Amino acid sequence: MSKVSSKQFLLSVLMIAFLSVNATSQNKGSSVTDSETKVEKKDKKKKKRKKRKKVKLPEIDLSHWKVTLPVTNEEGKPYEIEPPEISNFASVEVAKPYIYIDSTKGAIVFHAMPTSSTTRNTKYSRSELREQMVPGENNVNWTFEQGGTMMAKLAMDEVTRDEDGKYHRVIIMQIHGRLTNEQRDLIGEDDNNAPPILKIYWDKGKIRVKTKILKNLNASDTEILHEDAWDDDEGFNFKQKVDFRKFKLEVQVTDGKMLIILNDSEFKSYESIHIKKWGIFENYFKAGNYFQSRDEGAYAKVRFYELEISH
């Protein structure tokens, strides 16, 4: 073999080796890129799944509730949404600032502040549910003899402070009394309103309970139908502080007895003569945000995760 041909042979071998190494390198590079792309796609899918998992809905059936909002309707009265429309409250434009779903928490948020929209016999505004045993009907209610239970899981979301730096109070659950049409006519009233036998407050991070006592235990069955026959008791504070954490409240009513349970661990029972006398009234449950301040710029937001009633 000549010297020239030997050199040519060597160059050919080197060229083949170079091309082979380069091709292998490119294949490896391509392989790494494909692998990285697959990892990125997997990460994106995981993120999408996580986002989907974060969407939560509250476990609340609104088919037996109506809501009163802190805004007035065309007649200048508090705006209300009754069944069946209340099931689609999220699509009602006027309601959106005051009752809406927090899908990250899985809760309905009730937002209230001082407005000109107040119900009769009160100066405070509310974003609050009112039980309707028959959807769309206020005239069908229950007595203590019939009994009832209300259970809720909720939390204070936001609340402002007064000029002394103390949090404003909010009524979060109630049992409201109601006169039958016959009782209303008997005492000459122009509406069916009776006092609330139970008010449960979020009060500076604690749960406070208020009920009614009869001023004169010898009053007749007709006399006790008047609102001014009843007075407020001294109230009761549960020991544990809930602050802005989620907590559970349950109200159990039976003939002559009312039991309030906080977080399945603290109990307050009412079984006095006053509760027995209250048996003359009809009642309905309420839950939400009944804001107890007229301070300018004040407001509160309450989250309800679960709400159940039974009779």
Side-chain angles (χ1 to χ4, degrees), residues 29 32 63 125 127 224 235 250 252 262 279 305:
V32 170
S63 61
S125 301
S127 175
I224 65 175
E250 189 168 355
Q252 298 177 1
L262 174 61
Y305 301 87

Side-chain angles (χ1 to χ4, degrees), residues 100-114:
Y100 54 89
I101 294 174
D102 182 342
S103 59
T104 62
K105 302 286 188 181
I108 295 179
V109 179
F110 295 88
H111 182 199
M113 70 295 293

Side-chain angles (χ1 to χ4, degrees), residues 201 203-209 235-243 245 249 260-263 265-268:
Y201 295 79
D203 188 3
K204 298 183 284 294
K206 284 197 168 187
I207 301 304
R208 179 167 173 78
V209 181
F236 171 82
N237 290 327
F238 282 99
K239 291 181 180 179
Q240 56 189 295
K241 202 169 187 179
V242 299
D243 282 327
R245 298 184 299 275
L249 267 176
I260 298 92
I261 309 166
L262 174 61
N263 285 331
S265 58
E266 277 192 78
F267 306 82
K268 175 59 179 175

